[in-house]
Amino acid sequence: MREQKFRLNRLSAALAAVMGVAMVPNTFAAEEAPAVDEPTIEVIEVRGIRGSLYRSMDIKRGSNGVVDAISSEELGKFPDTNLAESLQRITGVTVSRANGEGSQITVRGFGPEYNLITVNGRQMPGTGYTRSYNLENLSSEGVKTLEVVKTARAETPTGGLGATVNIITQKPLDNPGQSFNLSAKGIYDESNEQGDDITPEVAAIYSNTFLDDDFGIMVSVSQQERDFRQQTANVQGWVAQTDNSRLPILAGQQGLDHREKDADGNPIANFKDADGNAIAPFFMPRDLNFSISDVERERTNGMVSLQYSPIDSLVITADYMGTRALTATNGFGWGIWNSSTDGSPLIGYEIDENGTGVYSEIRGGDGSFTAERNTTEVRADSIGLNLDWSANEYWRFTFDYHDSSNKIDNGADKGLGSAAQIILGSDQLTSKVYDYRTGDIPNYLINWNNGTNQLSPGEIDSNFSQFIHSPGESDIQQAQFNTNWYPEFYDALVKVDFGASYTKQSMSGTTAWSGLRGGPGFNPSYTEIFPDGMFQAHDASGLLDALGGGGSSINPDYYYTFSFDEAIARQLAYITPEIAGDNYYSIDPYIDGIDSSSLVEEETLALYLTTQWGFDIGDVAVNVNLGLRYEQTDTSSTVKQRVEEQVVWASPTEWIMKYVDGGDDNYLTQTGDYDVWLPMLDIDAEVIDDVVVRFSAGKTIARPLLGDMVAGRSLSGSPKIGARRGGSGNPGLLPLESFNLDLSLEYYYADASYAAIGLFHKDVDNFVSRSTSQTTIDGLHDVYNSPRYLEAVSQLETAGTAVNENTIFEQMIANGYGNADGQIAPLDSDPLIVWDLTSPVNSNKKSVQGIELAFQHVFGESGFGLGVNGTLVEGDVEFDPYSLAQQQPLEGLGNSANFQAFYEKDGLSVKFTYAWRDSYLIGVGQSQGSADAPPQYAKDFGQLDASINYDVNEYLTVFLEGINLNNEVEQGYGRFEEQFLFANQYGSRYALGARVSF
């Protein structure tokens, strides 16, 4: 066995002796000491959850700054499906979810884009075309420790404004000898309907050393399959209307407006518009949809680590980490679309005190049945080399290089090569009813022209289909050189670290879109190509039964499904160029080439210097860590864009952007650069026995969101009235810079037991806000409000016919303004379209502050223990729901709490965990919301999980896990809770398995 000595400062040595454990802070893990008399430390290995709590607590106690951690034993006994869910057990860490699993993390109120993920100190690329790393694609096998560093460190890569999460993997020379661990379990997901009832998860780790423990190999492999069903209710967006004259005055209970009124009966203006003027808007939903999605998910992780120590002072490590995650979704949806939400087509409504339409009966629009198919693959690869050389007892040098990539492709369906959506339905209706006056989810009814609330199969028509392929890739090549110097000339100076790094990061993505094929918008009608037998009617009464308004109360209580492949085949065969001209049916997203491509590149050179000091003030041992980091970054963005030609009114419910055919590609490159100085200071002292006080001050940065840095301009490809929007990027954006203060008190009062309280404050400069201006673009003319449009409106009013999108479109066609495809194209004499064009800019300083509380207690030798932590956070970065101005609040800001209770004794381990997250802002902008970029909030969410492990003998453990035992449902809303956005129900799932170790 390799004997390794550690050079500890006085405080660290004292702590190790008191705790009697063999764990020391990572910073000192390979620091070789001079040959002097050293205290003999007895190693007492404590296994299980209790041993893991020892190690995690010791990392927290011995680290510089504020650090929390989870070690491998505890990872294995949490009922967590991936690393994101494990991280949420840490104080101040919350997760956002995808497919019912933890996906991305928020730390201290700062969302995924503002936290940095590293593996063994290496900066990892985001998932595809983004900076955010999706942790649901990583299993816990092969992971030794998860560290969450919440304060500044000069020696680490930058980008973690909230925190830097370092995933430390197992290494063979850390545990000489041979070891093998194999675990297998079957997963039962109670939501599953179409897939396998039981799906497997298998993981194995093999580690061995050879040549007198000078050479080692570690291999870790895991594979998981999961089949489940997601049930969803969804509103794509809410539209703010400021013209109250468009709201009809209706008799009796038909038109109820509960907004506060002035003496003249007008709504009191409690809102502000973009210019700060007082207004009294009302809000209407753009649509309402229900859906079921059957999902098959496969995740494979692999890790290989080779280590060789040709001499005692040198360790060479080569490693590879790979991930492949495949998610296939087949979904069916049904819902309504409101072509106009300005109030004029309303024939019944109820508006609450905040102006939200909780009930509406509206003319126009359509009802549809949708089939969706999407297979997305994520491939992540990282290969690296590390050299660690201790030249002598005073100098240590490390060099680390890695090349890592993360690719995402939504065209992994080999038959389609894209994400596909087929929408069938009808616009032959008199009105639609939206009702959210009771229950947790809204309901709807359609009054069809057939005199019933149910469309017959023979009336189902083609609305449109669309096929999108949008792959993305993020790559990082990074070289880091570090030097550790242990000087002898001054006792108080423990260590000096200095080094440099070079990081090249590129993020690229392309988008190809078929356009709206198969009509669109029921124009012309193709009902004859779909036989009645193609549609199967289903009872919807079991949908979303965990929520009020769902289950047996849901409306509509039926939906249709149909064969995805048959629908495509029939439309391909019938809607040909000979029949439909340019609107012929095609499943090719590249029908007219790549719509857009973009590339952002960043090159960063960094230098750093840190010093560690250890001295006594009276009887108090004090540690000080003082450092400075300098970074210089050059950015470049190149985009290829299509050239817009015109916007045609294709059907009553659809407007389509047409692009110039052929021609030269339109490329644009823009650049930017910046440099930053990042100082940091950590002080900790054991003021009395087992009581540690910490103070940290430092500066951290987060780089601008990727989408904000893309050069060029983009306009909506489906610019419906009220949704004529576009955006432009800004590669010259500066990073967000945060000056951070932390003060904490930690009391380690017993074995594996402690209590801690921490205060933090962050002042964030260069916050990115949105600037929106109304812009016209030469050549893009508008049929809307053109002379021909106003002529049709006048004719309808004269005839006493209801005025809405359907009747206006039909009247213009009757007037002879349609083209050969039955669409209405603009004329050069028509007015120019007014676009709401939004661009990002650096803005003013904002602040966030909060308090973290943590308590961990083991009840002696009873086997019982518990842990509770919570975070309260606030700041001047919240969204103001009463302002229609563009806002850039901080995403993810919200309180959180975690609770765990366990019993472990005589081979039996039982653990219950409950993770709660308060309501928080997901982001601004809704896919079909109005141009004021309304918010998306998540409601508070609390999930109960449990696990039972039993050691049959020293080699075999059996276990049972339960996830989301309380059947919690994800819910979201807009400016107010009455503005429903989504509800996702997944149900509970269980796993039964065994683990073999030897």
Side-chain angles (χ1 to χ4, degrees):
M1 179 178 294
R2 177 181 305 279
E3 181 180 350
Q4 195 155 10
K5 299 179 180 179
F6 303 98
R7 187 175 189 270
L8 309 178
N9 64 31
R10 279 164 289 187
L11 177 60
S12 298
L15 291 176
V18 170
M19 298 303 297
V21 296
M23 182 69 185
V24 296
N26 237 24
T27 316
F28 306 109
E31 296 166 11
E32 202 164 301
V36 296
D37 292 337
E38 297 177 351
T40 300
I41 301 175
E42 181 182 1
V43 176
I44 304 174
E45 184 176 10
V46 183
R47 295 180 176 272
I49 295 176
R50 182 168 179 158
S52 177
L53 295 177
Y54 266 121
R55 292 185 285 275
S56 299
M57 188 180 76
D58 197 46
I59 292 173
K60 178 180 181 67
R61 184 171 184 170
S63 294
N64 295 312
V66 179
V67 178
D68 286 293
I70 300 177
S71 66
S72 56
E73 181 78 17
E74 199 173 10
L75 282 170
K77 292 192 175 180
F78 275 128
D80 298 332
T81 57
N82 58 53
L83 290 184
E85 295 195 345
S86 298
L87 282 166
Q88 75 176 329
R89 314 301 176 189
I90 289 178
T91 309
V93 179
T94 55
V95 299
S96 54
R97 297 179 179 276
N99 297 317
E101 297 182 25
S103 174
Q104 298 177 333
I105 63 166
T106 293
V107 184
R108 291 181 163 184
F110 288 84
E113 295 275 3
Y114 303 120
N115 298 298
L116 180 68
I117 305 296
T118 63
V119 175
N120 298 320
R122 299 167 176 169
Q123 181 178 342
M124 287 291 104
T127 302
Y129 189 50
T130 175
R131 294 191 191 277
S132 302
Y133 195 92
N134 290 353
L135 288 162
E136 82 263 23
N137 295 327
L138 284 180
S139 66
S140 60
E141 279 71 29
V143 174
K144 179 180 179 180
T145 308
L146 293 175
E147 288 186 345
V148 179
V149 182
K150 301 176 182 176
T151 50
R153 280 188 174 175
E155 67 270 24
T156 62
T158 56
L161 199 66
T164 297
V165 176
N166 190 25
I167 302 169
I168 303 172
T169 61
Q170 305 273 9
K171 296 292 188 293
L173 296 188
D174 291 344
N175 297 288
Q178 178 175 267
S179 64
F180 178 72
N181 293 273
L182 173 66
S183 66
K185 58 185 174 183
I187 303 171
Y188 169 72
D189 197 313
E190 68 177 16
S191 70
N192 177 64
E193 294 289 341
Q194 297 295 322
D196 295 330
D197 289 336
I198 305 294
T199 56
E201 179 174 347
V202 180
I205 305 174
Y206 174 76
S207 180
N208 204 353
T209 56
F210 311 90
L211 304 177
D212 294 328
D213 298 330
D214 286 331
F215 176 78
I217 181 172
M218 190 279 295
V219 179
S220 170
V221 180
S222 68
Q223 206 275 339
Q224 180 201 69
E225 297 179 18
R226 180 185 168 209
D227 295 344
F228 62 96
R229 169 170 286 187
Q230 173 184 296
Q231 302 177 13
T232 297
N234 178 65
V235 169
Q236 293 186 82
W238 286 80
V239 182
Q241 303 292 350
T242 58
D243 185 0
N244 283 284
S245 67
R246 305 281 290 179
L247 192 65
I249 298 175
L250 303 175
Q253 300 297 306
Q254 287 298 106
L256 300 176
D257 187 347
H258 299 296
R259 290 176 292 177
E260 188 178 1
K261 309 293 196 305
D262 60 20
D264 298 324
N266 298 315
I268 293 178
N270 293 323
F271 291 73
K272 300 289 185 182
D273 66 12
D275 298 319
N277 302 313
I279 54 173
F282 62 95
F283 306 88
M284 289 291 166
R286 176 62 79 181
D287 63 351
L288 172 60
N289 301 279
F290 297 105
S291 67
I292 55 172
S293 297
D294 293 304
V295 184
E296 297 180 9
R297 178 168 165 80
E298 297 180 10
R299 183 189 70 200
T300 304
N301 295 121
M303 190 183 305
V304 179
S305 178
L306 300 174
Q307 285 190 300
Y308 179 51
S309 180
I311 57 176
D312 287 346
S313 59
L314 175 64
V315 177
I316 303 171
T317 304
D319 52 53
Y320 168 79
M321 183 173 68
T323 295
R324 179 180 181 269
L326 196 67
T327 304
T329 302
N330 284 282
F332 284 95
W334 56 100
I336 56 174
W337 172 262
N338 296 321
S339 301
S340 175
T341 56
D342 66 0
S344 57
L346 285 169
I347 57 177
Y349 60 84
E350 183 172 350
I351 297 173
D352 72 3
E353 294 83 355
N354 287 320
T356 299
V358 294
Y359 170 85
S360 64
E361 183 173 2
I362 189 170
R363 296 186 298 263
D366 58 57
S368 294
F369 302 94
T370 302
E372 294 183 302
R373 181 174 292 178
N374 180 13
T375 302
T376 298
E377 181 181 47
V378 175
R379 283 187 177 271
D381 296 279
S382 179
I383 187 168
L385 176 68
N386 182 277
L387 306 178
D388 190 338
W389 177 42
S390 296
N392 53 44
E393 61 194 53
Y394 305 111
W395 292 93
R396 176 188 175 201
F397 304 94
T398 58
F399 172 78
D400 188 89
Y401 174 80
H402 75 103
D403 187 340
S404 303
S405 66
N406 204 324
K407 303 174 184 178
I408 186 169
D409 184 2
N410 69 339
D413 186 308
K414 302 306 180 184
L416 284 171
S418 65
Q421 184 182 55
I422 302 173
I423 302 180
L424 309 180
S426 177
D427 60 355
Q428 300 304 301
L429 52 84
T430 57
S431 66
K432 309 176 301 297
V433 174
Y434 169 93
D435 194 350
Y436 192 30
R437 292 175 295 185
T438 60
D440 299 315
I441 57 172
N443 283 267
Y444 77 84
L445 284 175
I446 300 178
N447 296 308
W448 295 104
N449 289 345
N450 62 21
T452 73
N453 298 125
Q454 182 164 336
L455 193 67
S456 68
E459 297 172 299
I460 298 178
D461 199 355
S462 171
N463 189 350
F464 64 83
S465 300
Q466 58 181 335
F467 304 86
I468 300 172
H469 187 212
S470 53
E473 181 175 356
S474 181
D475 297 277
I476 288 180
Q477 294 85 42
Q478 184 176 55
Q480 301 180 86
F481 178 75
N482 303 287
T483 300
N484 308 130
W485 175 38
Y486 306 95
E488 288 291 304
F489 64 87
Y490 186 53
D491 287 344
L493 181 57
V494 178
K495 186 172 68 162
V496 178
D497 294 344
F498 56 92
S501 69
Y502 170 78
T503 305
K504 181 178 181 180
Q505 182 170 13
S506 63
M507 295 153 284
S508 60
T510 61
T511 299
W513 178 47
S514 66
L516 304 182
R517 320 304 300 184
F522 315 107
N523 179 41
S525 174
Y526 296 117
T527 55
E528 67 274 12
I529 68 175
F530 304 117
D532 292 3
M534 193 177 105
F535 302 98
Q536 294 81 46
H538 300 269
D539 183 358
S541 60
L543 187 77
L544 295 166
D545 56 3
L547 295 169
S552 60
S553 301
I554 202 166
N555 266 318
D557 58 3
Y558 83 101
Y559 64 94
Y560 286 114
T561 61
F562 53 87
S563 167
F564 182 96
D565 294 328
E566 182 179 356
I568 284 182
R570 289 183 174 278
Q571 292 178 94
L572 282 172
Y574 188 88
I575 310 176
T576 62
E578 292 75 20
I579 297 293
D582 290 342
N583 290 320
Y584 69 92
Y585 199 83
S586 172
I587 65 172
D588 183 9
Y590 296 90
I591 188 170
D592 52 6
I594 294 176
D595 295 311
S596 65
S597 65
S598 55
L599 169 68
V600 176
E601 293 181 306
E602 292 177 339
E603 293 187 65
T604 298
L605 177 65
L607 304 171
Y608 81 89
L609 171 69
T610 65
T611 59
Q612 291 187 18
W613 305 76
F615 51 86
D616 295 333
I617 300 178
D619 294 330
V620 176
V622 178
N623 277 343
V624 175
N625 188 26
L626 180 64
L628 179 65
R629 186 180 182 92
Y630 169 77
E631 289 196 348
Q632 201 279 328
T633 299
D634 295 312
T635 64
S636 173
S637 175
T638 300
V639 296
K640 172 190 173 184
Q641 294 181 312
R642 301 169 70 188
V643 179
E644 302 95 351
E645 182 179 29
Q646 63 177 0
V647 174
V648 300
W649 194 3
S651 74
T653 59
E654 297 299 334
W655 297 71
I656 298 177
M657 177 74 76
K658 297 286 188 178
Y659 299 92
V660 174
D661 293 330
D664 295 332
D665 291 333
N666 182 20
Y667 284 96
L668 173 68
T669 299
Q670 295 176 327
T671 61
D673 62 85
Y674 54 85
D675 60 355
V676 291
W677 293 89
L678 305 173
M680 51 81 59
L681 170 68
D682 294 320
I683 303 174
D684 66 76
E686 189 168 1
V687 291
I688 57 177
D689 288 347
D690 300 319
V691 176
V692 178
V693 176
R694 297 183 195 277
F695 171 77
S696 294
K699 192 175 182 182
T700 54
I701 67 168
R703 306 188 193 280
L705 302 184
L706 189 60
D708 291 342
M709 298 183 65
V710 175
R713 183 198 70 208
S714 62
L715 301 176
S716 171
S718 180
K720 300 177 176 66
I721 297 172
R724 273 82 184 273
R725 294 193 291 272
S728 60
N730 182 1
L733 284 172
L734 299 174
L736 285 72
E737 300 181 14
S738 178
F739 178 71
N740 316 301
L741 294 174
D742 280 80
L743 178 64
S744 63
L745 178 67
E746 302 160 6
Y747 177 32
Y748 300 91
Y749 60 88
D751 289 349
S753 301
Y754 76 94
I757 180 171
L759 305 174
F760 63 88
H761 179 89
K762 296 176 178 286
D763 284 323
V764 184
D765 205 359
N766 294 332
F767 218 89
V768 178
S769 63
R770 298 289 187 269
S771 174
T772 301
S773 60
Q774 291 192 322
T775 304
T776 58
I777 298 170
D778 290 343
L780 296 183
H781 295 271
D782 202 351
V783 174
Y784 176 63
N785 278 340
S786 67
R788 295 173 296 161
Y789 184 97
L790 296 176
E791 175 193 11
V793 171
S794 177
Q795 291 170 336
L796 292 170
E797 290 175 342
T798 300
T801 303
V803 178
N804 55 53
E805 277 78 0
N806 294 65
T807 57
I808 296 171
F809 184 88
E810 292 167 359
Q811 185 64 45
M812 291 184 70
I813 294 293
N815 290 343
Y817 297 135
N819 59 22
D821 295 324
Q823 302 175 344
I824 303 173
L827 303 176
D828 291 342
S829 57
D830 289 342
L832 293 173
I833 297 176
V834 178
W835 300 89
D836 291 310
L837 197 64
T838 301
S839 59
V841 294
N842 289 113
S843 63
N844 57 335
K845 181 181 295 185
K846 298 182 180 182
S847 64
V848 173
Q849 51 277 331
I851 182 172
E852 294 181 334
L853 303 165
F855 174 71
Q856 178 177 295
H857 185 75
V858 175
F859 294 89
E861 300 301 321
S862 68
F864 287 98
L866 62 85
V868 182
N869 65 61
T871 303
L872 304 175
V873 60
E874 63 177 11
D876 59 357
V877 290
E878 297 182 0
F879 190 94
D880 180 4
Y882 291 94
S883 172
L884 268 60
Q886 291 280 338
Q887 302 178 55
Q888 188 61 25
L890 180 62
E891 302 169 2
L893 191 71
N895 302 327
S896 61
N898 293 284
F899 172 82
Q900 59 174 302
F902 68 87
Y903 172 81
E904 185 175 57
K905 196 170 185 179
D906 299 327
L908 176 65
S909 171
V910 181
K911 174 171 279 193
F912 289 90
T913 61
Y914 182 78
W916 174 82
R917 184 176 187 179
D918 202 358
S919 61
Y920 67 94
L921 180 72
I922 299 172
V924 294
Q926 299 167 4
S927 61
Q928 294 294 338
S930 45
D932 51 281
Q936 299 179 54
Y937 283 98
K939 283 189 176 182
D940 65 298
F941 182 93
Q943 180 170 303
L944 176 66
D945 303 329
S947 63
I948 302 173
N949 290 258
Y950 179 68
D951 297 333
V952 178
N953 53 46
E954 62 178 314
Y955 305 110
L956 175 64
T957 300
V958 294
F959 57 87
L960 173 66
E961 299 172 346
I963 299 170
N964 194 20
L965 295 176
N966 55 332
N967 193 20
E968 183 74 322
V969 176
E970 303 167 10
Q971 300 179 71
Y973 59 93
R975 291 179 181 273
F976 310 102
E977 289 196 18
E978 293 76 18
Q979 294 182 9
F980 176 90
L981 285 180
F982 66 83
N984 299 323
Q985 180 176 318
Y986 296 92
S988 305
R989 61 186 184 273
Y990 306 89
L992 177 65
R995 187 181 301 113
V996 177
S997 302
F998 55 85

